[in-house]
Amino acid sequence: MDMTMKIAGLEAFVLRAPDTGRPHWVSHFMVPRANEILIRMRTSEGVEGFGLATSYASVEPIVQAFRNGIGEQILGMDALAPERLHETLLALTSQRLAHEKGWGREALIRIAAAVDIACWDIIGKMAGLPLYQLFGGYRDRVPCYVTCAYYRDGKGMIELRDEIQMLKAQGHISFKAKVGGLTLAEDIERLEVVRDVIGSDKDLMVDVNRAWDLATATEAVGLLEPLKPRWLEEPVRWADDRRELKLLSQRTRIPLSGGESEFTSHGCRALLEEQAIQILQFDCTMFGGFTEGRKLTALCELNHVQVAPHHDCFIHAPLVASTPAGCILESFTDPERDPLQAELFENPPRIANGWVTLNDAPGLGLTLSGAALKKYGEQIL
C-alpha cells in the first residue's frame, strides 16, 4: 500500500499590516504589526494544508527565494514525510545550490518552518484528528497571557494604565510587560502601574528583549522581586546570553525564560544544556515547524523546563496542549498590535478568562479567512 502523498500545488503569500504611524517598540527595535509568510499546499489527492513563518526582519529574502525556484524543491515531495522534507530544505543551507540561487540561510529556515506546519496540517486532516491529539492529547485547553506595555511615541502612564485596563476588561489573567527601553527606575515605575491595575492575584511577566548588560540585570532582579514576576524574559544582551543567563539565574529566584531569538533548535538545546532557563520560548513559525518543536518539547519535559512558545498562539496551541511540559501561550488581543490574530481565521479558538480552548477540527483546526487574505496578503507564488 502506497502511503505517500505528493505535494502537487503550492501557493505563497506575504501577510503585512500597514503601519498606523505609531509603531510598537520593544526595548531596542520596532515590532511589525504583521510580517508573515503564509504557505498553502495541496496534495495530489486534493488535501490542503497551510503553514506560517514569522519574520521580524525584511521578508524580501524569503520572497526572492520563492521567485528563484525554491518551490521546485518542495513540489513532488511527500507531504506525509515532514521529517524528510524538513531535512531536505535545511540541508540546502549547506549546499552550493543555495548560493547560486540566492537562497539565504534565514529565508530557507523560515520557509522550512512554514512548509513543515502545512505538512502536519495535511497529516492531521488525513488522520481525521486535531493535531493536539495526534501529538499526544494531554489536554484540549491551554492558559494564555497577553503581551502589552509596548513603548510608543508620546505614550505616558495614563495611556499605559488605559491599555492595561482594556486588556483586563477582556478577561485576561496573565500579562507580559515590555521593559529595557528606558532607565531601570522608569521601567520599574511602569511595571508598578501594570501591577497596580491588574492586582496582586494576576500573573505579571517581564520581557527585556535582550537589552540589559549583566550588571543591570543583576540590579533589576532585586528591584523586580517585590513585583513578584512569574518570569523574566530575555534579560541579557545577545553576545553571551547563555552564559550570562546562567549567571543571572544563580542570583535570583525569578524564573528566567528565552529561546525566541535562537536561529535553530540546536541553540535552544544549548540553553537547556547550560541550565540557563526554566521556561523555553522557541517559535515553530521562525524555525523548525512542529517537527523540531515536538523534539524541543520532549527535551523540555525530560529537563524539567516549561514550554511557553513565542507568538502565533493559534499555531502553537496544539503543541502546548499535547504535552505535560506545555505551560502557556502568548496572545495579542489588541488588534492595533496584531490584526492577524483578530482576522486571519474564520474560526479562531475561543479565548476567555485566560484560557484558549482548541478547535476539534482535524489538523490545525483553522480555516483561513478569504477577506483577511485579500486585505493583508500579497501572493508571491
Side-chain angles (χ1 to χ4, degrees), residues 299-319:
L299 208 52
C300 283
E301 191 183 338
L302 295 176
N303 283 281
H304 314 291
V305 168
Q306 292 189 303
V307 172
H310 169 253
H311 201 241
D312 273 319
C313 74
F314 300 142
I315 301 292
H316 285 113
L319 196 61

Side-chain angles (χ1 to χ4, degrees), residues 199-215:
S200 58
D201 60 328
K202 306 277 192 293
D203 278 332
L204 172 63
M205 295 80 139
V206 178
D207 187 1
V208 191
N209 288 103
R210 301 167 122 188
W212 291 337
D213 60 21
L214 184 57

Side-chain angles (χ1 to χ4, degrees), residues 49-70:
F50 78 88
L52 289 171
T54 301
S55 184
Y56 279 172
S58 165
V59 288
E60 240 1 85
I62 303 175
V63 174
Q64 282 312 114
F66 279 110
R67 297 216 163 117
N68 294 348
I70 189 66

